Amino acid sequence: MNKFVIAVYVENKFGVLTRVTSMFTRRGFNIDALTVGETESPEYSRITISMSGDGYAREQLINQLRKLYNVKKVELLEDDSIKRELMLIKVRNTSETRGDVLSAVEVYRAKVIDYSMDEMCIEITGDPSKIDAFVKLMIPYGVLEMCRTGIVALERGTTTLLSK
């Protein structure tokens, strides 16, 4: 099972996201992460889908997405694409662990966005592998809660989704 990221350019209309995600359900595909947002043109939205599967599943999915009426463009993003994710994580704050957690925040270029005597909330952005490593590092200190946005991605260079 390989991980892959697909960018989908769709009309920014009511029900389009439902049609796209319903297609996954009907075909038995599982989405690892899904992010959606308006593009540089308000008439369109960009859906970034992160999934796992073999080459056959990937091709089937891309072909099925291209058949949907409101979908304007579908592209598989290559491994060298720029991929970022945002995570908020709340960890236990004790006098014994505070220094170590703050050192990790500095090393990972994260930010403490809320702080109390019992907990601290940290914001971190970066490549998904950086986020995973930070979570693994925070587990011994007591992760109370966390949420991740899912991947957003763009191709490197002057190429755009619509120029292909």
Side-chain angles (χ1 to χ4, degrees), residues 43-119:
E43 304 93 51
Y44 296 100
S45 290
R46 183 181 175 120
I47 302 173
T48 306
I49 303 164
S50 175
M51 305 183 52
S52 298
D54 59 15
Y56 176 76
R58 182 182 61 223
E59 292 308 313
Q60 278 292 105
L61 179 63
I62 290 170
N63 290 335
Q64 294 299 319
L65 283 168
R66 286 184 176 140
K67 291 179 184 178
L68 294 176
Y69 175 71
N70 298 106
V71 172
K72 296 301 170 200
K73 188 77 172 180
V74 179
E75 285 296 324
L76 176 68
L77 296 178
E78 302 300 326
D79 289 337
D80 67 339
S81 297
I82 302 165
K83 298 175 184 132
R84 293 292 182 265
E85 190 172 357
L86 166 72
M87 179 182 69
L88 300 177
I89 184 168
K90 191 180 291 188
V91 296
R92 221 175 286 295
N93 183 17
T94 66
S95 56
E96 298 85 35
T97 62
R98 186 173 300 125
D100 292 339
V101 171
L102 291 174
S103 292
V105 164
E106 189 176 320
V107 167
Y108 279 83
R109 295 184 188 152
K111 260 194 298 196
V112 174
I113 57 173
D114 187 47
Y115 186 91
S116 75
M117 294 305 292
D118 300 324
E119 60 79 25

Side-chain angles (χ1 to χ4, degrees), residues 113-131:
I113 57 173
D114 187 47
Y115 186 91
S116 75
M117 294 305 292
D118 300 324
E119 60 79 25
M120 66 177 85
C121 187
I122 301 162
E123 171 188 315
I124 181 169
T125 59
D127 188 83
S129 61
K130 174 185 172 182
I131 306 289

